[in-house]
Amino acid sequence: MIIGNGLEIKVAGEACMADPSGALWLAPLRTLIVSDLHFEKGSSLARRGVMIPPYDTLATLIRLKRVIDHYDPARVIALGDSFHDRDGAQRLSASDHERLSDLQTGREWIWITGNHDRTPPQGLAGQSRDEFRLGALLLRHEPQQGVSPGEIAGHLHPVARVVTPRGSLRRRCFVSDGARCILPAFGAYAGGLNLRDQAFAGLFPDRSPQAHVLGRDRIYSVAHEQCYAD
Amino acid sequence: MSKATTSALPARFTDWFAARGWAPRAHQLALLQHAQAGEDALLIAPTGAGKTLAGFLPSLVELSQQKSNVPEGPGLHTLYISPLKALAVDVARNLEIPAAEMKLRLRIETRTGDTSASKRQRQRRDPPQILLTTPEQLALLLASPDSLTLFSSLRRVVLDELHALVTSKRGDLLALGLAHLRTLAPAMRATGLSATVRDADELRRWLVARPEMAALVTAPPGAPADLSILDTRERLPWSGHGGGHAVREVYEQIRQAKTALVFVNTRAQAEAIFQQLWQINDDNLPIALHHGSLDAGQRRRVEEAMAQGQLRAVVCTSTLDLGIDWGAVDLVINLGAPKGASRLAQRIGRANHRLDESSRAILVPSNRFEVLECRAAIEAAREGAQDTPPARSGALDVLCQHILGMACAAPFDAQELFTEIRSAEPYADLDRAMFDAALAFVANGGYALKTYDRFAKIKRTKDGLWRVANGKIAQSYRMNVGTIVESEMLKVRLVQGRPAKPRATAPSSPAYTGPLRRGGRVLGEIEEYFLETLAPGDTFLFGGEILALQGIVEDEALVTRARSDAPKVPSYAGGKFPLSTYLAARVRRMLADPKSWVHLPEQVRDWLELQGQRSQLPRANDLLVETFPRGGRYYLVAYPFEGRLAHQTLGMLLTRRMERMGLKPQGFVASDYALAVWCLADVGTRLTKNMASLNDLFAQDMLGDDLEEWLQESALMKRTFRQCAVISGLIERRFPGKEKSGRHVTISTDLVYDVLRRHEPDHILLRAAREDAHSGLLDLARLADMLARVQGHLIHKDLERVSPLAVPILLEIGREPVYGEAQDDILAEAAAMLIQEAGA
């Protein structure tokens, strides 16, 4: 993955850079937005006897560090569902806790609350907000139904299934119609919801959004019609 | 027959045989003698040799001599395991007859997935003397806390169709269960029933604990089969596997036979042939369809109609390779390549279950290469040569599942369990470190990072025994037992079509598909990854009709009947076996020896002779590589004859290497016989001018770094990993009550694979997946053997145009999926379309 080889998209007139890592970079504001980190999803499932590898938080942090090292943001906004459950922050291993704290050092850090983490993470720096306004942009976890110009949200974990005569691929993507933008999930174990799903239908009533699909080295913009249901 | 041998049989039995006008067969008595001597035994017998009765005779004799009024109930005496539940039910039914006629007072019961919960409970409390069941049910019984009381009275285990069971992970699970049965019931003896195999000693070892070997009883072979290759009047196709050219001739054969089984290799082909037969079925012969994707109820109905003699033919896949005896079948048609000598023998045996009469089988090659393969298979069958797969070493994911099952039954001592597991043949070489890794995996995932200890599924008691942590874990084990992991399947549900068009009267509408043709119902299941290649509106053949995909809602693919004449025929996987190594070697020898061509049809002979003139014929121990330009591209075609899977893997690795050499490969296509790669650079000239070396291209070291690098991203590897994750119990097949949750909620094993590969590449589950890939979807073992064999035997022919032998593989382009480093190219292509649109 080549970090920084992003695609400039406009959301409500604001210039945003969709990064192949799945982060959104607002250069003028030196603000980096990542959504649905789902830290500690592994240990959350392990509590129920599903012992998937306990390296998801580490994997997500390593990727996040690469993005932060590249852009050196003044402000990082985690757009909700940063932890997979309420106790997630307490289950962070000491080394992951330290890694995360290092990333937070020297910059403003906003935890937007999500449906998985309605309360701010305990024992970690950063402010907790339900929403956050940045000029024409309004940042929140869950997108609101209907038209919502300037909204930057996550929650839905969009993926696009692209089918061409050469084959088919299912990848995470940004979804935007220029008025609002849904970010892909950043977390290593975060699954995906096809953007053809009903859940997206009410968000773009007037015109079809484009899928800005995360490729290996860059972002590919694909027309909505080119994306298929699962 | 000597007195000594018949005297083993009590009067009640000799009378019964006599009353039926039969005499006990020598192998039946031999098996009885081994049982009475307290020995385990393997019986190898052809179909129709009274194998089942032979297997049960010792039990019936012993039970007939037992005192009948034991106060606490007689207990379980004999356990019969079959790979198919239908077979277990059928055998139980057949066993009732002699038991009743000899007035043996015993209870014979089956236990399958269909058995009611109350009956299962009663069976554990008050077991029958003879219980017929499947490997999965055995695992469940062994994992129950009352397994010791249930099995301590067990005297005999009869394993049916053992040759088919031992080749899979199911066999591994069964071997572990058998080892545990030996611990629970030391007096128990095992009897294996098998068709002829390549190496009987492997099965003899499998049946017992090391270093023992079960006794061997071999029944005399049946009458030699009447085998022929369909001498088609039609032109033999160059390529393809449809067999459509011969449908009319196949139909004629069906008309002349009483009942025919028409075997094909893939479900897609079954669909296509079924459709084509009905298009010409002027006599309205009852011809049915049977394959693994069809709804289970539908399959049962076909089987029952067959048993009652209502059908004239069934078009089927390997789902009917094994199964209950249908006396009426007098003809087997094998359409397409037989793929293996033993597989063909098994299929031939499905016709005419009487020893003294020949089974009749007709092989119908669907292309020219398949003629060679059919010829080789017939020669092998006449010689009685076998090519059943070699004994496997036990899978690690199955081991993990078994360990959890053992903990569910009773607390165990690790050393004792280790010893017991090593007594099972597939795990005889398991070392303690790997066992400990499996144990750790079951307990807490076995990760180097020990963060899950507090959630452990099995825990050590004060006296050092391992026990299951809680009842929920045991319940989860029961829900997930077994080794058969279906691909992610979607139900195919027929819905009302768009009302715009009038309802078709379906001129090709078959008479015997009554149950298929109702609205709103589930037709069967289909692999999700097949549907991923379809867009809504695309048509495909399924259940004998042409359907159009309307959309996918949760776990259902909604379809309507389509009126398209040319469906996009599904290539949905399943039942596509690669050519066996043995047959491949025979085909190579045949190609190299023109004298052997006299038995081949003229069309094929001409084709081979032309190849000899234009290029050359591959010699038995060489690898012929041809290069030629065609349509602005440069082709490289190799003829390893190692089967499609190995060729696909070779193609992946070869194109990487060619890419690095600057040959600009654009894609490749693989068949069972050959591999074709096309490039933008003139590969032929580069090779002849020594600017590139064939030896480098086919060097064995491609199985090193190149392979590792490719595996990282390989979809095949991810699929393999998913199977291991399910079997090992890492993720659950289904959560009770949670089936309805959207698919995005469940954890994707692809994501788990990516994370684990980066952070703990030596984890036991990755080892398990790699081992599977080597023998499974990537067929690495075979590729490695081939690369070793051809070192120093590479023959390059630079040609001006395509050779006769290369025509079939080139024709596959467009029919078979083309491989290459697609991935992001797909995105680039889709993005380009958007740009075009914007520019227009």
Side-chain angles (χ1 to χ4, degrees):
Chain A
M1 183 179 43
I2 300 179
I3 293 188
N5 192 21
L7 176 80
E8 191 169 304
I9 58 173
K10 285 260 175 16
V11 182
E14 300 277 353
C16 309
M17 176 83 87
D19 189 89
S21 65
L24 192 71
W25 171 236
L26 309 180
L29 301 163
R30 291 196 56 218
T31 296
L32 185 77
I33 309 173
V34 287
S35 189
D36 296 275
L37 296 164
H38 284 269
F39 287 137
E40 294 301 308
K41 179 167 178 177
S43 60
S44 184
L45 288 171
R47 292 197 294 192
R48 291 194 271 131
V50 182
M51 307 276 180
I52 55 176
Y55 307 110
D56 55 320
T57 301
L58 176 62
T60 307
L61 280 170
I62 287 173
R63 219 148 32 90
L64 186 57
K65 179 170 165 30
R66 289 181 58 196
V67 181
I68 287 178
D69 284 352
H70 178 84
Y71 290 106
D72 190 21
R75 184 196 287 129
V76 174
I77 300 174
L79 210 50
D81 285 2
S82 306
F83 285 87
H84 191 68
D85 58 52
R86 207 174 4 173
D87 315 321
Q90 279 106 291
R91 291 199 308 274
L92 277 179
S93 71
S95 58
D96 286 346
H97 193 283
E98 194 181 320
R99 236 177 262 269
L100 179 53
S101 299
D102 281 352
L103 291 181
Q104 294 185 308
T105 307
R107 50 182 59 92
E108 189 184 346
W109 195 282
I110 314 279
W111 300 106
I112 303 277
T113 54
N115 52 311
H116 280 257
D117 50 357
R118 297 199 184 283
T119 51
Q122 287 177 26
L124 284 166
Q127 320 161 39
S128 174
R129 299 285 183 82
D130 289 336
E131 292 180 354
F132 195 79
R133 190 167 277 287
L134 273 177
L137 303 177
L138 178 62
L139 281 56
R140 59 163 73 102
H141 177 63
E142 198 167 331
Q144 284 195 346
Q145 286 295 304
V147 188
S148 186
E151 184 189 78
I152 306 273
H155 180 62
L156 293 174
H157 302 199
V159 296
R161 189 159 85 81
V162 179
V163 181
T164 75
R166 300 191 60 151
S168 118
L169 266 187
R170 197 174 186 272
R171 289 275 177 88
R172 295 180 182 185
C173 65
F174 296 83
V175 184
S176 178
D177 60 352
R180 75 192 315 174
C181 180
I182 315 289
L183 262 55
F186 197 89
Y189 284 165
L193 181 66
N194 192 300
L195 61 88
R196 285 275 180 174
D197 191 276
Q198 212 44 43
F200 290 90
L203 304 179
F204 303 99
D206 297 337
R207 56 181 159 157
S208 301
Q210 278 181 20
H212 304 294
V213 186
L214 311 192
R216 201 177 299 155
D217 309 324
R218 50 170 277 224
I219 296 276
Y220 297 88
S221 297
V222 178
H224 196 252
E225 302 75 54
Q226 200 72 30
C227 302
Y228 288 87
D230 284 329
Chain B
M1 202 172 302
S2 73
K3 269 231 166 75
T5 48
T6 40
S7 69
L9 208 57
R12 196 186 318 204
F13 286 79
T14 44
D15 292 351
W16 176 76
F17 272 103
R20 291 219 137 196
W22 295 347
R25 291 184 171 138
H27 60 268
Q28 292 173 329
L29 293 174
L31 215 53
L32 179 62
Q33 279 193 317
H34 285 299
Q36 289 176 339
E39 291 165 356
D40 306 87
L42 171 70
L43 170 64
I44 292 196
T47 28
K51 216 186 318 190
T52 317
L53 184 58
F56 280 103
L57 205 53
S59 299
L60 296 180
V61 168
E62 200 171 301
L63 284 164
S64 74
Q65 293 163 340
Q66 264 184 5
K67 292 185 189 75
S68 56
N69 40 3
V70 189
E72 68 274 22
L76 182 62
H77 178 278
T78 295
L79 192 62
Y80 163 93
I81 313 278
S82 137
L84 303 169
K85 65 181 176 190
L87 192 56
V89 172
D90 194 58
V91 166
R93 209 181 296 145
N94 293 339
L95 200 55
E96 293 282 3
I97 298 168
E101 289 176 353
M102 284 187 272
K103 303 203 166 47
L104 303 176
R105 293 164 57 97
L106 41 97
R107 254 166 50 217
I108 300 166
E109 291 179 8
T110 57
R111 182 186 180 97
T112 70
D114 299 337
T115 308
S116 72
S118 61
K119 186 172 176 187
R120 281 195 228 185
Q121 228 172 17
R122 199 265 299 142
Q123 282 176 338
R124 291 207 332 234
R125 206 177 52 241
D126 174 25
Q129 285 102 321
I130 299 181
L131 183 68
L132 299 97
T133 188
T134 60
E136 290 73 22
Q137 293 295 325
L138 173 62
L140 280 173
L141 285 172
L142 288 172
S144 73
D146 46 9
S147 59
L148 180 60
T149 37
L150 181 63
F151 289 112
S152 55
S153 62
L154 188 71
R155 301 297 306 254
R156 292 176 46 78
V157 174
V158 179
L159 303 154
D160 205 354
E161 308 274 16
L162 188 61
H163 60 285
L165 272 171
V166 297
T167 57
S168 64
K169 289 187 179 183
R170 272 185 113 191
D172 296 345
L173 186 67
L174 184 57
L176 293 169
L178 192 61
H180 191 54
L181 280 177
R182 284 195 290 263
T183 304
L184 296 179
M188 179 276 287
R189 292 293 173 263
T191 300
L193 310 177
S194 168
T196 313
V197 289
R198 189 183 36 77
D199 183 1
D201 286 357
E202 286 178 354
L203 293 188
R204 295 171 68 193
R205 276 192 291 271
W206 195 96
L207 278 172
V208 293
R210 260 198 183 181
E212 307 293 317
M213 210 146 115
L216 176 66
V217 176
T218 309
D226 168 9
L227 298 175
S228 58
I229 294 180
L230 180 78
D231 192 12
T232 183
R233 296 179 297 268
E234 311 291 328
R235 199 179 140 73
L236 255 172
W238 286 92
S239 73
H241 303 283
H245 71 283
V247 162
R248 195 157 284 282
E249 288 160 320
V250 167
Y251 182 70
E252 276 311 306
Q253 294 292 343
I254 292 174
R255 264 177 40 140
Q256 288 164 27
K258 230 169 25 205
T259 309
L261 282 177
V262 183
F263 282 104
V264 298
N265 286 327
T266 67
R267 294 176 220 169
Q269 197 186 358
E271 292 281 355
I273 290 296
F274 177 71
Q275 184 89 355
Q276 290 169 35
L277 280 173
W278 271 100
Q279 272 163 12
I280 56 167
N281 190 359
D282 299 332
D283 302 324
N284 266 316
L285 301 180
I287 298 174
L289 176 66
H290 192 287
H291 63 65
S293 279
L294 294 176
D295 174 60
Q298 163 76 3
R299 274 181 278 158
R300 293 297 94 76
R301 280 191 288 277
V302 170
E303 287 161 21
E304 266 157 41
M306 193 69 182
Q308 288 161 16
Q310 293 169 354
L311 298 177
R312 290 290 297 279
V314 181
V315 179
C316 56
T317 59
S318 57
T319 50
L320 291 186
D321 276 8
L322 299 177
I324 57 176
D325 288 3
W326 290 320
V329 175
D330 61 341
L331 174 64
V332 163
I333 297 174
N334 195 80
L335 216 158
K339 297 301 163 203
S342 296
R343 172 171 303 282
L344 180 65
Q346 178 85 31
R347 288 181 168 181
I348 296 168
R350 301 293 275 136
N352 195 4
H353 282 251
R354 276 210 300 278
L355 263 189
D356 45 347
E357 285 175 31
S358 295
S359 307
R360 196 159 69 89
I362 300 173
L363 277 62
V364 184
S366 54
N367 62 50
R368 290 164 187 228
F369 268 120
E370 286 184 357
V371 173
L372 303 176
E373 195 181 320
C374 287
R375 191 74 234 160
I378 283 185
E379 283 169 13
R382 290 196 179 133
E383 291 167 18
Q386 300 292 336
D387 54 2
T388 44
R392 39 180 288 124
S393 67
L396 293 171
D397 50 0
V398 177
L399 175 66
C400 294
Q401 185 183 106
H402 179 70
I403 291 174
L404 181 58
M406 290 298 94
C408 293
F412 65 77
D413 175 78
Q415 179 57 40
E416 280 174 17
L417 183 62
F418 175 59
T419 308
E420 179 186 295
I421 285 171
R422 277 181 41 117
S423 80
E425 181 63 20
Y427 294 92
D429 296 327
L430 180 75
D431 62 35
R432 182 62 198 247
M434 194 46 79
F435 171 78
D436 287 340
L439 192 62
F441 171 84
V442 175
N444 56 23
Y447 302 106
L449 186 65
K450 304 270 175 229
T451 55
Y452 291 168
D453 280 351
R454 62 208 136 131
F455 313 129
K457 294 205 276 193
I458 58 173
K459 294 181 171 164
R460 292 191 83 152
T461 61
K462 277 191 210 102
D463 33 2
L465 303 180
W466 290 90
R467 61 166 182 81
V468 69
N470 57 56
K472 260 195 189 150
I473 305 289
Q475 192 200 355
S476 164
Y477 167 81
R478 287 195 293 272
M479 300 293 293
N480 290 286
V481 78
T483 59
I484 301 168
V485 182
E486 300 291 339
S487 313
E488 301 265 2
M489 298 294 273
L490 297 179
K491 289 197 180 81
V492 179
R493 186 180 289 281
L494 191 63
V495 295
Q496 287 299 311
R498 305 278 135 88
K501 289 178 193 159
R503 207 183 146 76
T505 45
S508 61
S509 169
Y512 183 82
T513 51
L516 280 182
R517 297 192 172 263
R518 258 174 266 139
R521 51 190 302 282
V522 173
L523 300 178
E525 291 189 327
I526 200 163
E527 281 90 351
E528 186 176 8
Y529 60 83
F530 165 66
L531 285 165
E532 276 182 2
T533 63
L534 297 187
D538 278 354
T539 56
F540 60 102
L541 266 178
F542 187 82
E545 47 191 337
I546 300 172
L547 303 173
L549 179 68
Q550 295 301 335
I552 293 171
V553 177
E554 293 199 339
D555 63 341
E556 292 194 340
L558 303 183
V559 300
T560 53
R561 292 208 177 88
R563 277 151 295 273
S564 155
D565 290 329
K568 176 170 175 170
V569 176
S571 61
Y572 51 96
K576 208 165 200 175
F577 316 98
L579 174 66
S580 84
T581 314
Y582 174 81
L583 277 193
R586 271 195 106 111
V587 169
R588 275 200 305 270
R589 279 204 301 277
M590 196 184 301
L591 274 175
D593 175 20
K595 283 196 294 291
S596 69
W597 300 351
V598 289
H599 301 294
L600 298 175
E602 202 181 334
Q603 301 182 48
V604 176
R605 253 184 353 245
D606 291 350
W607 171 55
L608 295 180
E609 273 158 16
L610 203 59
Q611 169 71 13
Q613 293 158 19
R614 296 269 176 81
S615 171
Q616 75 169 59
L617 286 151
R619 285 192 297 261
N621 293 313
D622 294 341
L623 176 62
L624 174 66
V625 179
E626 294 173 335
T627 51
F628 50 84
R630 188 166 180 272
R633 289 157 156 183
Y634 298 90
Y635 287 80
L636 178 147
V637 180
Y639 305 91
F641 292 90
E642 292 296 345
R644 179 187 307 266
L645 298 177
H647 292 170
Q648 277 172 10
T649 307
L650 176 63
M652 292 286 185
L653 299 175
L654 205 56
T655 44
R656 277 177 170 267
R657 192 156 280 212
M658 292 169 81
E659 184 78 55
R660 278 206 303 278
M661 291 182 172
L663 295 169
K664 303 198 183 91
Q666 297 297 295
F668 71 88
V669 66
S671 74
D672 262 337
Y673 317 102
L675 166 74
V677 186
W678 50 96
C679 311
L680 294 179
D682 184 351
V683 51
T685 306
R686 299 249 193 128
L687 286 172
T688 45
K689 293 198 170 157
N690 286 325
M691 292 153 69
S693 141
L694 213 51
N695 288 327
D696 289 351
L697 265 183
F698 288 87
Q700 283 165 283
D701 63 3
M702 75 165 71
L703 297 177
D705 293 348
D706 275 349
L707 175 67
E708 279 310 308
E709 208 176 296
W710 169 56
L711 281 185
Q712 316 282 315
E713 294 295 323
S714 155
L716 290 177
M717 195 65 197
K718 286 179 177 168
R719 214 181 296 159
T720 305
F721 179 78
R722 180 178 173 275
Q723 298 211 338
C724 293
V726 170
I727 293 172
S728 66
L730 177 75
I731 57 157
E732 306 194 329
R733 284 168 202 266
R734 52 205 154 164
F735 298 86
K738 286 190 187 161
E739 288 91 344
K740 287 245 151 142
S741 59
R743 279 177 294 150
H744 64 287
V745 177
T746 54
I747 181 81
S748 148
T749 53
D750 289 6
L751 298 176
V752 170
Y753 173 76
D754 284 340
V755 167
L756 189 56
R757 194 166 53 71
R758 289 211 175 82
H759 295 276
E760 199 170 339
D762 295 327
H763 189 262
I764 182 169
L765 220 49
L766 290 174
R767 286 190 61 144
R770 257 180 245 128
E771 282 175 13
D772 276 9
H774 276 239
S775 55
L777 290 169
L778 306 180
D779 218 348
L780 284 174
R782 200 161 163 192
L783 178 56
D785 285 352
M786 187 276 287
L787 290 175
R789 189 182 47 147
V790 303
Q791 294 308 306
H793 298 278
L794 294 161
I795 309 293
H796 177 216
K797 272 281 180 187
D798 190 36
L799 308 172
E800 279 168 19
R801 58 196 185 97
V802 54
S803 74
L805 215 53
V807 171
I809 181 89
L810 290 207
L811 287 173
E812 297 280 340
I813 299 170
R815 262 187 233 182
E816 291 290 326
V818 169
Y819 297 88
E821 301 285 308
Q823 299 285 332
D824 277 30
D825 294 359
I826 294 172
L827 292 178
E829 201 168 311
M833 288 183 189
L834 179 69
I835 293 161
Q836 253 175 14
E837 227 170 81

